[in-house]
Amino acid sequence: MGSPQVKIRLPQDTANSYEWNAFVRYSIDVLDTIDGASKYGEINEGEVFLEIEFIPIENAEELVEKVLKDRLKKAKKETEHMGLALMKNSTCFGCHADKATHTGPSFSEIADRYENTSTHIVSLSNSILEGSKGLWGNTEMPSNPDLTVSETEQISKFILEQGAKKNNWIIPGLEGTFRIIEKPKNIEQGFYILTASYTSTSKMRGQDSILLNIR
Amino acid sequence: MKNINRRIFIRNTLYSGLSASIMPSQLMANDTATHSETILENKSRTFRKKRVIVAGAGISGLCCAYELMKKGHEVVVLEASGRLGGAVLSVHDGLADGLYADFGAENFTQPGYENYWRYLKEFNLTVLPYFHRKNRLTRIDGVWLTDEAQKAAYNQKVKDLGGFNSKEKEFLLANPSYDLSFLYLEPYFDTFKNEYQPFGIGFDHLENIPISEIYKQDGASKAAIATLGGSKTSALYAIWQAYIMHLRGYDKPFKLFRLKGGNQVLTNEFGRRLGSRVRLDCQVLEIVNGETGVIVKYKEFGETKEISADYMACCLRTTALKKIPIKPTLSPKKQFVIDNLAYDQTTRIVFQARSKFWLKDKLSINLTYNHPALTHIWQVADEVATERVSLMAKAPGGTNPLRTLEAFKEFYPGNKSNIDIEQVLVKDWSSDQFVHGCERHGFGDLGELSKFWPHTTTPHGRIHFAGAYADNRSWGMEAATNSAIRVALEIEKA
């Protein structure tokens, strides 16, 4: 039994070269011997994630290739954060996203407001368990009594860590669109590393990484 | 920028010469087959038939397509999901004896919903009164209160605050207490020239002033100021919304209605008239707004296809639009709306019970629980001839329906052993792939209105925007039909 096969597809461009501020539409193909194929709607979208990382190239002298190779290697080894695994199996992504505000605050807004300290992990964990209202706006978050305290603490840790990452985004689902950042000052070129991953029902993880060249 | 426009123009003229032909070239890297077509053009001189792509077969897309079709235009509706109606969803499956429930858009009013009512007459649909706010009981701080008891509590609160002043008292002799704000807002109404334009009529500065300041300034009593609130609501927004309510008659008591058989009867009727002009399972992927037309890439059963037309009526909610690249890019103001518009997230839970068990307890079933897993509950489809009943419960998005049932039983104001619920169905809009969420939120915070209005409704070149989010008030089916008719007119005149 092998790991699921995961493949990122970018429809617009074969050269994988993009301009700053451009929209990128992507889809992810998944094929698993047991679960089936995304093509036939057999793959649980909630288990598919795209992680996007921006790598600025500040200095043309830098060994671009080496930097990227190291980064890609790292991406291959990464395992999933427990907190993310728990969130995927819950309702959270219906209302929250990493860097975009949906019904609930984004992970980055949460991380901006609360430093990653044990006190905040406890208070966030409590909000997740009990539900929350009035801290961010008029909409309320339902309680999550099916989760345990240690689980919601793992989740809070993940939210604070992920939210604090400035050049890193995670998006759930088999397809979607993201927008490349505006050109930062002092930088002419950069790369986006896209890593798609899928965790199968038999807990096997498959992933695929590709590189986008941004000019 | 110039380059982009030029490229679009060239591509567009290339495609507009074709009609329903297969393009052999690989337009997209991963396409297994790519197929391109144009809606046929009509050459008549007096009337220029327009070719319009309508994105989305929710109530606004269907209504807009129907209006355009009636005027003789050529329409194709592309709908991503496998059904018509979007947030209008009436469910019969799983309920016994012909019972049904509206899991989505739930009621309409009179007065109000004028455009909506026109279609009900035109299609001869049966309208039923809806009494789900009658004889209501509300649970406040663990105690069940009747509307009268709540009113008494309100009166006591007013008294404790020193009572209303004479002007307010006089107003309340002829008006319900929930309309008190109109006493202070009405003097501003005459200045409006157009219900769609709150700006440029001398009130712009009020966007950043809380409405509570206006009450104070115009001599409201302490009791009125405390009960009206509004310290965080923009005065311009409050006045504008009250003006629209006044125009539509919502400042007087209004009645609630629903369609017999479920509100989806109307969207089904639109769909039936549009026939094969509506294409299900066609998800819009990309939109290009060119100088002479629009080109849309869409996915039909995994295959990427392309279609072009003169105009697009974009009737997708912003949650769907977020995922669709539009070229050239939208103006920053428009993009802001798409990125930031928020929607209510609710779960609808339907219970089927064997009988009207609450009658044994001499209770009404219009209950407001104010519980985290159950906000309200009421009866639906009460005209169906059966002893069984279907009850509709509302809860925040993501609520487990069995917890809703548990909350219902635990805090039920009668004898729990009378409860004979036998079936639980659920629809969680916060996790719907295509209709993510319910009604949009308002733009009432200080300084917010100008970030959203009028950009929410402005077109982008040949792309016009309709939908329940794209009107001046957020009540779903009213806003959807109003904006659909607006867009049909915009395209007609373009």
Side-chain angles (χ1 to χ4, degrees):
Chain A
M1 190 176 67
S3 316
Q5 290 171 42
V6 176
K7 180 109 193 81
I8 303 175
R9 303 240 178 229
L10 298 173
Q12 290 98 330
D13 210 317
T14 39
N16 287 359
S17 180
Y18 287 87
E19 288 169 16
W20 299 105
N21 220 6
F23 283 94
V24 181
R25 184 162 65 77
Y26 68 89
S27 62
I28 299 168
D29 287 353
V30 178
L31 187 65
D32 182 74
T33 43
I34 294 172
D35 297 349
S38 52
K39 190 164 106 176
Y40 302 122
E42 293 160 343
I43 296 299
N44 174 4
E45 292 221 27
E47 285 291 349
V48 181
F49 276 83
L50 185 70
E51 179 177 352
I52 305 167
E53 191 175 6
F54 171 58
I55 310 225
I57 304 295
E58 284 161 26
N59 173 353
E61 304 289 294
E62 240 178 316
L63 288 173
V64 173
E65 273 186 40
K66 186 176 177 319
V67 172
L68 294 174
K69 253 192 202 141
D70 288 354
R71 188 61 203 83
L72 273 176
K73 232 190 250 162
K74 212 174 125 222
K76 290 238 162 63
K77 282 201 204 117
E78 263 161 26
T79 51
E80 191 166 64
H81 195 294
M82 261 303 287
L84 176 59
L86 289 161
M87 286 180 80
K88 286 195 309 198
N89 291 321
S90 186
T91 55
C92 324
F93 282 102
C95 294
H96 294 281
D98 177 13
K99 303 290 187 297
T101 315
H102 288 179
T103 307
S106 65
F107 302 164
S108 53
E109 285 171 306
I110 295 173
D112 277 350
R113 184 181 289 191
Y114 310 107
E115 231 180 291
N116 192 345
T117 63
S118 52
T119 327
H120 287 144
I121 287 171
V122 170
S123 76
L124 289 177
S125 152
N126 206 41
S127 291
I128 300 168
L129 283 170
E130 307 277 316
S132 152
K133 192 179 184 176
L135 295 174
W136 294 87
N138 304 323
T139 318
E140 69 183 285
M141 165 159 82
S143 62
N144 286 286
D146 301 322
L147 295 168
T148 65
V149 173
S150 82
E151 286 173 336
T152 51
E153 289 187 357
Q154 292 272 14
I155 292 176
S156 304
K157 267 186 216 151
F158 171 74
I159 291 177
L160 293 176
E161 281 169 27
Q162 180 59 35
K165 290 184 188 166
K166 289 292 174 246
N167 285 328
N168 183 296
W169 299 259
I170 55 158
I171 318 177
L174 279 163
E175 57 188 2
T177 304
F178 63 88
R179 192 170 195 177
I180 292 169
I181 57 169
E182 281 186 46
K183 186 176 146 337
K185 288 198 181 83
N186 320 325
I187 287 177
E188 288 310 316
Q189 194 189 356
F191 287 92
Y192 266 59
I193 296 180
L194 309 190
T195 304
S197 61
Y198 171 68
T199 311
S200 70
T201 43
S202 26
K203 297 295 162 215
M204 301 287 280
R205 188 174 153 95
Q207 60 179 52
D208 178 34
S209 294
I210 60 167
L211 210 58
L212 306 186
N213 192 345
I214 319 296
R215 287 165 195 277
Chain B
M1 207 51 200
K2 243 191 182 140
N3 269 339
I4 294 173
N5 280 336
R6 176 129 155 233
R7 197 167 67 224
I8 292 159
F9 178 71
I10 293 167
R11 287 182 45 169
N12 191 50
T13 45
L14 179 70
Y15 294 131
S16 59
L18 298 169
S19 68
S21 62
I22 309 293
M23 288 292 292
S25 67
Q26 290 281 97
L27 288 172
M28 292 176 66
N30 74 334
D31 295 346
T32 43
T34 305
H35 155 126
S36 174
E37 66 180 299
T38 30
I39 308 169
L40 272 177
E41 207 165 355
N42 178 298
K43 296 253 153 49
S44 139
R45 258 183 234 149
T46 45
F47 165 77
R48 200 169 81 76
K49 185 186 253 189
K50 288 172 178 147
R51 305 162 304 153
V52 185
I53 296 164
V54 178
I59 179 169
S60 61
L62 293 168
C63 174
C64 187
Y66 177 70
E67 284 297 313
L68 289 162
M69 177 187 79
K70 274 208 302 192
K71 288 178 181 140
H73 301 290
E74 198 73 48
V75 291
V76 167
V77 185
L78 301 177
E79 164 60 38
S81 79
R83 61 171 282 274
L84 302 172
V88 180
L89 171 64
S90 313
V91 173
H92 295 71
D93 282 3
L95 291 166
D97 305 347
L99 288 168
Y100 61 91
D102 272 304
F103 278 79
E106 190 206 322
N107 51 225
F108 46 96
T109 68
Q110 195 172 52
Y113 286 73
E114 266 177 40
N115 285 318
Y116 184 86
W117 278 96
R118 272 189 12 216
Y119 297 111
L120 306 186
K121 297 219 172 73
E122 185 178 338
F123 302 159
N124 204 12
L125 305 181
T126 309
V127 172
L128 295 173
Y130 201 13
F131 297 118
H132 67 82
R133 295 182 192 164
K134 289 266 163 72
N135 302 320
R136 189 163 41 177
L137 287 179
T138 305
R139 193 169 156 268
I140 293 173
D141 299 329
V143 183
W144 285 101
L145 298 177
T146 60
D147 286 345
E148 294 75 47
Q150 278 196 81
K151 181 132 199 347
Y154 169 83
N155 288 340
Q156 187 57 46
K157 186 177 168 198
V158 168
K159 216 168 142 194
D160 294 346
L161 287 160
F164 290 130
N165 63 32
S166 55
K167 189 166 76 170
E168 290 159 356
K169 279 185 192 143
E170 192 187 336
F171 179 84
L172 290 174
L173 285 179
N175 297 281
S177 54
Y178 53 77
D179 268 356
L180 182 58
S181 63
F182 282 86
L183 171 62
Y184 294 100
L185 302 177
E186 198 157 358
Y188 294 85
F189 292 170
D190 277 348
T191 313
F192 284 89
K193 296 188 180 72
N194 174 344
E195 62 166 300
Y196 286 91
Q197 188 46 281
F199 293 110
I201 52 173
F203 295 159
D204 292 5
H205 62 289
L206 296 180
E207 189 190 348
N208 293 303
I209 293 175
I211 189 65
S212 55
E213 287 300 314
I214 301 289
Y215 301 142
K216 254 181 235 167
Q217 175 194 308
D218 294 346
S221 64
K222 226 173 96 192
I225 291 167
T227 51
L228 290 173
S231 63
K232 286 185 183 153
T233 306
S234 143
L236 177 58
Y237 180 79
I239 293 168
W240 178 46
Q241 290 293 303
Y243 169 66
I244 302 166
M245 290 180 76
H246 174 71
L247 270 188
R248 298 186 189 163
Y250 298 140
D251 54 346
K252 299 277 170 302
F254 53 81
K255 293 196 184 102
L256 299 178
F257 298 90
R258 59 187 175 82
L259 292 182
K260 185 174 179 190
N263 294 328
Q264 197 180 302
V265 168
L266 175 62
T267 45
N268 289 351
E269 285 295 322
F270 279 134
R272 210 160 56 78
R273 284 163 172 79
L274 286 160
S276 61
R277 291 174 184 85
V278 183
R279 300 183 189 172
L280 299 177
D281 254 302
C282 290
Q283 181 173 2
V284 173
L285 300 174
E286 277 180 43
I287 306 168
V288 178
N289 168 45
E291 277 171 33
T292 58
V294 287
I295 306 170
V296 172
K297 273 188 191 154
Y298 65 99
K299 187 175 73 177
E300 186 167 13
F301 278 115
E303 211 180 298
T304 306
K305 298 183 175 181
E306 199 168 277
I307 184 169
S308 64
D310 299 321
Y311 294 93
M312 168 177 259
C314 188
C315 304
L316 302 173
R317 55 179 49 220
T318 56
T319 47
L321 267 174
K322 266 185 197 170
K323 298 184 193 151
I324 301 174
I326 299 178
K327 291 180 199 162
T329 38
L330 298 172
S331 70
K333 285 177 171 170
K334 191 87 191 171
Q335 190 65 46
F336 179 89
V337 172
I338 291 175
D339 291 341
N340 291 285
L341 203 70
Y343 295 79
D344 279 346
Q345 301 292 348
T346 47
T347 298
R348 294 293 182 92
I349 297 124
V350 168
F351 298 144
Q352 177 179 298
R354 295 190 193 102
S355 69
K356 291 185 179 163
F357 58 86
W358 59 92
L359 294 181
K360 292 183 196 149
D361 297 306
K362 301 202 165 44
L363 284 171
S364 151
I365 195 63
N366 294 335
L367 300 173
T368 299
Y369 268 70
N370 290 327
H371 182 279
L374 170 59
T375 53
H376 315 273
I377 188 161
W378 64 93
Q379 190 188 355
V380 293
D382 56 353
E383 83 283 9
V384 177
T386 167
E387 273 180 46
R388 287 196 159 78
V389 291
S390 43
L391 301 176
M392 172 67 70
K394 232 171 163 172
T399 306
N400 175 344
L402 295 177
R403 293 196 181 271
T404 306
L405 179 58
E406 192 177 87
F408 177 80
K409 288 181 175 165
E410 188 174 345
F411 299 104
Y412 177 65
N415 185 346
K416 289 183 196 38
S417 62
N418 286 335
I419 299 173
D420 55 7
I421 290 172
E422 57 182 0
Q423 161 79 312
V424 179
L425 302 178
V426 65
K427 170 75 199 167
D428 180 357
W429 291 101
S430 75
S431 61
D432 190 282
Q433 188 186 354
F434 301 108
V435 186
H436 187 261
C438 306
E439 280 178 4
R440 75 153 162 80
H441 291 179
F443 328 120
D445 288 353
L446 295 179
E448 261 214 316
L449 182 57
S450 57
K451 292 187 193 159
F452 287 96
W453 199 265
H455 331 300
T456 298
T457 60
T458 46
H460 177 64
R462 293 171 167 266
I463 309 170
H464 296 258
F465 296 86
Y469 77 91
D471 201 43
N472 56 6
R473 264 182 71 75
S474 65
W475 287 0
M477 297 189 292
E478 176 178 68
T481 44
N482 287 355
S483 63
I485 290 170
R486 167 178 57 74
V487 161
L489 277 174
E490 281 170 11
I491 291 177
E492 171 84 4
K493 284 191 204 142

